[in-house]
């Protein structure tokens, strides 16, 4: 797994919460999917940019990855998940705005994607809530796993 502190059992270490609205992020021990804690995000006021993320995620270009995680939200409201270059021009590295169908009880999700040729060790892995969440929504996330499945060798064809 290339995600640090994937189960939030080390508190909020390695994760950053940002909102231009109002909200909070804590490692919560009251209802984890597994382990000791989960991430609990309370979006008091959603704003135009509310996200939980890690930076400098070491992805390799032209590689198949599998993402899995458990999540739930009050009101069964969804979120967006993306992985992209952490700085401008914020290049999509292969997973852009994946939307899991969240419920009010924990559901386990898995998706696969292939990184593009520009992917490198400067990725931002992001859960984004604006555009899906309503004021007052609470999200729980746990057991985030991002792992390499296999490297893809680009195919070149001789036209002669």
């Amino acid at each position: 797994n290339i995600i640090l502190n994937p189960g939030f059992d080390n508190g909020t270490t390695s994760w950053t919460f940002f909102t231009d609205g109002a909200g909070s992020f804590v490692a919560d021990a009251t209802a984890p999917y597994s382990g000791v804690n989960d991430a609990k995000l309370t979006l008091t006021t959603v704003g135009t940019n509310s996200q939980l993320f890690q930076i400098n995620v070491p992805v390799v270009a032209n590689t198949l990855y599998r993402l899995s995680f458990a999540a739930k939200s009050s009101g069964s409201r969804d979120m967006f998940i993306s992985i992209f270059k952490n700085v401008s021009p914020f290049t999509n590295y292969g997973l852009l705005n994946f939307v899991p169908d969240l419920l009010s009880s924990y559901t386990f999700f898995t998706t696969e994607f292939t990184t593009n040729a520009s992917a490198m060790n400067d990725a931002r892995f992001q859960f984004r809530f604006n555009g899906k969440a309503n004021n007052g929504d609470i999200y729980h996330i746990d057991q985030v796993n991002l792992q390499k499945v296999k490297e893809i060798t680009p195919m070149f064809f001789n036209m002669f």
Side-chain angles (χ1 to χ4, degrees):
N1 188 5
I2 60 174
I3 296 295
L4 302 175
N5 191 20
F8 304 91
D9 292 337
N10 293 321
T12 60
T13 302
S14 303
W15 292 93
T16 301
F17 175 65
F18 174 83
T19 184
D20 62 356
S24 63
F25 161 51
V26 297
D28 184 44
T30 59
Y33 180 77
S34 67
V36 177
N37 295 322
D38 67 1
K40 179 182 179 183
L41 298 108
T42 303
L43 301 173
T44 309
T45 306
V46 177
T48 60
N49 187 356
S50 298
Q51 57 181 279
L52 177 68
F53 63 93
Q54 278 192 20
I55 61 171
N56 299 322
V57 176
V59 295
V60 177
N62 302 312
T63 301
L64 179 65
Y65 282 89
R66 182 176 298 120
L67 168 65
S68 60
F69 61 96
K72 65 180 181 176
S73 69
S74 62
S76 299
R77 285 195 240 305
D78 299 337
M79 61 185 164
F80 298 101
I81 303 169
S82 299
I83 190 161
F84 54 91
K85 184 176 183 67
N86 185 49
V87 296
S88 183
F90 305 107
T91 306
N92 170 18
Y93 280 171
L95 182 67
L96 182 64
N97 293 332
F98 171 69
V99 179
D101 186 16
L102 298 183
L103 303 173
S104 59
S105 59
Y106 262 115
T107 304
F108 191 77
F109 300 92
T110 301
T111 189
E112 292 185 347
F113 65 96
T114 301
T115 52
N116 60 31
S118 62
M120 51 192 320
N121 294 332
D122 63 350
R124 175 185 293 213
F125 175 79
Q126 173 193 75
F127 295 99
R128 184 171 53 85
F129 307 97
N130 53 294
K132 294 291 183 183
N134 286 342
N135 293 342
D137 280 346
I138 298 171
Y139 287 81
H140 289 265
I141 302 168
D142 204 357
Q143 297 307 310
V144 183
N145 190 314
L146 180 61
Q147 61 188 108
K148 186 187 319 184
V149 176
K150 68 177 180 174
E151 291 187 31
I152 310 290
T153 304
M155 300 288 290
F156 295 100
F157 296 98
N158 187 344
M159 299 300 287
F160 302 100

